[in-house]
Amino acid sequence: MDLRLYDTLTREKRVFTPIDPARVRMYVCGPTVYDYAHIGNARPVIVFDVLFRLLRHLYGAEHVTYVRNITDVDDKINARATEEYPSLPLNEAIREVTNKTDKQFHDDVAALGCLPPTVEPRATEHIEEMKTLIERLMKSGNAYVAEEHVLFSVPSMKDYGKLSNRPLDEMIAGARVDVAAYKRNEMDFVLWKPSKRGEPAWPSPSGIKTQGRPGWHIECSAMSWKHLGETFDIHGGGIDLVFPHHENEIAQSRCAFHTSVMANYWMHNGFLQVEGEKMSKSLGNFVTIQDVLATPMSSLVPIANDEGPTPIFAGWKERWNGLCARFAMLQTKYSEPIDWTTRRFNEAGDELYRFYEVLRDAYYDTSLTREVPDNLLAALRDDLNTPAAITTLRATAKSQDVSALGAGLSLLGLLDDEFVRRDDLLLFNHALSLTAEQEAMVNARNAARVRKDWKESDRIRDELAAMGICLRDNSDGTTTPESAR
Ligand code: AMP
Ligand code: ZN
């Protein structure tokens, strides 16, 4: 059966045909590393991780190359470096900021169950490739020099604007560019600009004497070229990147290589929203991935044993919260907006743990085939329909089809053996966060269990159940009726 993907450029869902099935190639625009990533930034990372996993499943892991860049040269980085390390020379301060943020980002997305991409190029390591492209564009008449800048001449490309398909006046208004007298056309965008004193600077493309630095868009054309070639299969990112970033990437790459396309499929994830508005740094309505990983609303806690309520393994809470966030995110189709709520996050955790309970012990029976079920694959092949895939998981859980459930969870990056195997965890059955008093009751109950005071522990459990909070223990066979939900 075919894989079909919605392509933003042609505005249709088409059968995916890789240029070379032995080397399927995908590029996704990565983070600008100057601050903690928020949970909205996590959405493209999770969405394209699922696509990466699906492509590996369909074509073989060794046949898929996934490139996600790191933007480590940007005005926002410079500003943050000056603010945070005023006594350091700017270049060193920038290195501090980018290294720290880069590490944080990797820890964050690993906790969200994402595989590392095949290649993670950094913009500053591809300045030579950017300059080569810029020089080609100057030679072909698609770029010009003005006041030590190099600008891409938008009117030089006949079909500029196909991806976003906006009327010209809207593009002019929406272009995230400063109006500058040296531009021949207001739509023209910067490929290279002079560096101010102290700013990162490299020798400029030929014909410009002063040192400079790249504009934002050219880096992705350079890095995708270096690691994937002039034309490749899939290009992804958030919907906000369609214009101007992806439009400009297309213009640069197509004009530099004289090709009719840059990538054959353009995929864009919808926004993660808070009360109907895009979560963003500038609106200040964001929750960082760190906040989500550390949030106290985790639906699991370790059950106390003779040594007391010990942590089950290092970093378990972040890993559990990461899985819950990933599961919560995949319940919505990648192209649709999501409203981020703690309720959604908690409910995802409850459901995921119930899946794990179905798998416990049985899934590790070596005679199981663990084949991904056809109906789940069919859902993913239909433009990465993860909510439909999750619906099939519910049916497999209901029918206790352990093999299919485990294989399906695994393909979606939602299976964590460590959690499946542990039966010394308590599930808070809640769609709301616990109050401090309720948490104290859980702790008191754990303490009673350590004392082997079963009467007291049962009493507290019943009291919590009366509040609608259902604790389910597995180690001693205690279960609380589902009706407490
Ligand atoms: P930035 O660091 O802002 O360039 O964003 C990195 C990636 O996160 C890009 O692919 C953006 O499109 C994406 N992104 C940023 N904010 C959101 C959001 N609220 N929802 C979904 N994706 C987002
Ligand atoms: Zn990009």
Side-chain angles (χ1 to χ4, degrees):
M1 210 185 88
D2 294 326
L3 165 63
R4 294 157 69 83
L5 298 174
Y6 181 81
D7 174 22
T8 311
L9 183 64
T10 53
R11 286 165 185 80
E12 55 183 8
K13 194 153 73 174
R14 298 203 319 274
V15 172
F16 175 69
T17 318
I19 299 166
D20 175 3
R23 195 167 168 248
V24 179
R25 287 164 282 168
M26 172 162 81
Y27 185 94
V28 174
C29 298
T32 306
V33 285
Y34 72 101
D35 203 353
Y36 289 121
H38 60 66
I39 193 73
N41 298 131
R43 192 168 188 203
V45 182
I46 292 173
V47 161
F48 291 102
D49 178 68
V50 173
L51 182 55
F52 182 39
R53 287 168 185 267
L54 177 65
L55 292 171
R56 285 159 58 103
H57 181 85
L58 298 177
Y59 294 92
E62 67 282 19
H63 298 305
V64 184
T65 307
Y66 171 23
V67 179
R68 188 183 64 215
N69 73 293
I70 301 274
T71 300
D72 60 351
V73 50
D74 181 86
D75 288 342
K76 289 194 280 260
I77 300 176
N78 299 349
R80 180 57 61 97
T82 316
E83 188 186 305
E84 224 172 291
Y85 302 97
S87 57
L88 284 184
L90 185 59
N91 281 345
E92 276 174 45
I94 287 172
R95 208 168 321 120
E96 291 289 331
V97 169
T98 56
N99 285 348
K100 184 174 74 176
T101 317
D102 181 277
K103 179 173 181 320
Q104 184 68 56
F105 176 74
H106 285 98
D107 291 349
D108 285 354
V109 299
L112 295 169
C114 298
L115 299 172
T118 325
V119 192
E120 268 198 288
R122 290 174 80 109
T124 52
E125 287 164 13
H126 294 75
I127 300 289
E128 280 313 309
E129 286 81 359
M130 296 187 215
K131 280 164 58 180
T132 304
L133 287 187
I134 294 172
E135 284 165 7
R136 278 193 191 202
L137 292 170
M138 282 156 61
K139 224 187 218 157
S140 61
N142 295 104
Y144 61 94
V145 177
E147 294 183 17
E148 307 293 289
H149 291 68
V150 185
L151 292 134
F152 185 93
S153 160
V154 169
S156 76
M157 185 190 190
K158 283 225 158 40
D159 50 0
Y160 180 88
K162 281 263 166 62
L163 184 73
S164 49
N165 201 20
R166 293 188 186 189
L168 191 65
D169 55 344
E170 240 183 63
M171 284 204 274
I172 293 170
R176 260 203 243 160
V177 287
D178 41 344
V179 187
Y182 51 77
K183 283 186 188 175
R184 291 184 192 160
N185 182 293
E186 40 194 341
M187 298 269 298
D188 295 352
F189 59 90
V190 171
L191 299 171
W192 190 265
K193 53 191 166 189
S195 299
K196 296 195 193 82
R197 247 176 100 88
E199 280 179 351
W202 291 268
S204 293
S206 53
I208 303 176
K209 288 199 192 66
T210 46
Q211 295 213 325
R213 58 197 176 112
W216 172 31
H217 316 296
I218 193 70
E219 64 176 76
C220 289
S221 288
M223 288 183 271
S224 59
W225 171 42
K226 169 89 181 280
H227 299 283
L228 298 175
E230 295 180 0
T231 301
F232 50 95
D233 298 303
I234 301 170
H235 193 316
I239 188 87
D240 53 336
L241 298 186
V242 170
F243 185 84
H245 184 55
H246 287 167
E247 201 74 84
N248 293 352
E249 280 189 38
I250 292 175
Q252 294 160 164
S253 294
R254 283 189 48 205
C255 292
F257 305 125
H258 308 290
T259 48
S260 57
V261 293
M262 177 182 185
N264 282 325
Y265 300 82
W266 286 84
M267 292 178 69
H268 294 99
N269 65 270
F271 285 139
L272 185 138
Q273 304 178 328
V274 184
E275 286 166 22
E277 270 195 298
K278 177 195 174 192
M279 179 179 284
S280 73
K281 288 264 162 64
S282 52
L283 289 173
N285 60 352
F286 63 94
V287 184
T288 63
I289 301 175
Q290 277 298 297
D291 294 335
V292 171
L293 298 183
T295 180
M297 280 89 71
S298 167
S299 37
L300 284 190
V301 289
I303 299 177
N305 57 31
D306 287 350
E307 284 135 37
T310 50
I312 51 172
F313 52 84
W316 73 273
K317 195 160 186 293
E318 290 73 20
R319 228 158 97 181
W320 177 248
N321 282 6
L323 280 165
C324 298
R326 181 182 179 94
F327 191 44
M329 202 99 58
L330 296 181
Q331 314 240 355
T332 304
K333 176 96 193 278
Y334 78 89
S335 44
E336 303 286 328
I338 300 186
D339 253 311
W340 189 253
T341 62
T342 33
R343 187 192 174 102
R344 166 192 270 272
F345 176 62
N346 281 320
E347 286 179 349
D350 284 4
E351 185 171 27
L352 190 61
Y353 194 68
R354 277 167 218 291
F355 286 167
Y356 284 5
E357 285 180 323
V358 173
L359 296 184
R360 185 156 305 136
D361 303 331
Y363 189 59
Y364 298 99
D365 178 339
T366 47
S367 65
L368 287 186
T369 54
R370 298 195 196 124
E371 256 178 51
V372 181
D374 285 344
N375 57 355
L376 182 136
L377 263 184
L380 294 181
R381 283 171 182 274
D382 181 18
D383 194 30
L384 213 63
N385 192 339
T386 54
I390 292 168
T391 302
T392 73
L393 286 179
R394 291 187 183 123
T396 52
K398 204 162 178 196
S399 61
Q400 302 279 312
D401 185 348
V402 171
S403 180
L405 176 62
L409 284 169
S410 176
L411 180 63
L412 291 169
L414 287 168
L415 187 73
D416 189 317
D417 290 336
E418 206 116 30
F419 285 110
V420 176
R421 287 174 188 275
R422 305 296 294 228
D423 61 3
D424 49 355
L425 298 162
L426 289 175
L427 174 66
F428 291 153
N429 183 350
H430 61 111
L432 29 108
S433 55
L434 293 188
T435 64
E437 189 196 349
Q438 288 162 340
E439 264 192 63
M441 288 169 74
V442 173
N443 292 337
R445 177 172 179 272
N446 261 338
R449 287 172 61 89
V450 171
R451 297 196 303 274
K452 299 201 166 31
D453 183 350
W454 307 121
K455 210 169 139 208
E456 174 66 358
S457 97
D458 285 351
R459 187 192 66 75
I460 300 176
R461 192 200 55 201
D462 291 346
E463 213 176 298
L464 282 165
M467 296 175 184
I469 295 152
C470 162
L471 302 179
R472 301 201 301 165
D473 308 345
N474 301 293
S475 61
D476 66 356
T478 314
T479 52
T480 308
E482 282 290 307
S483 58
R485 280 214 96 177

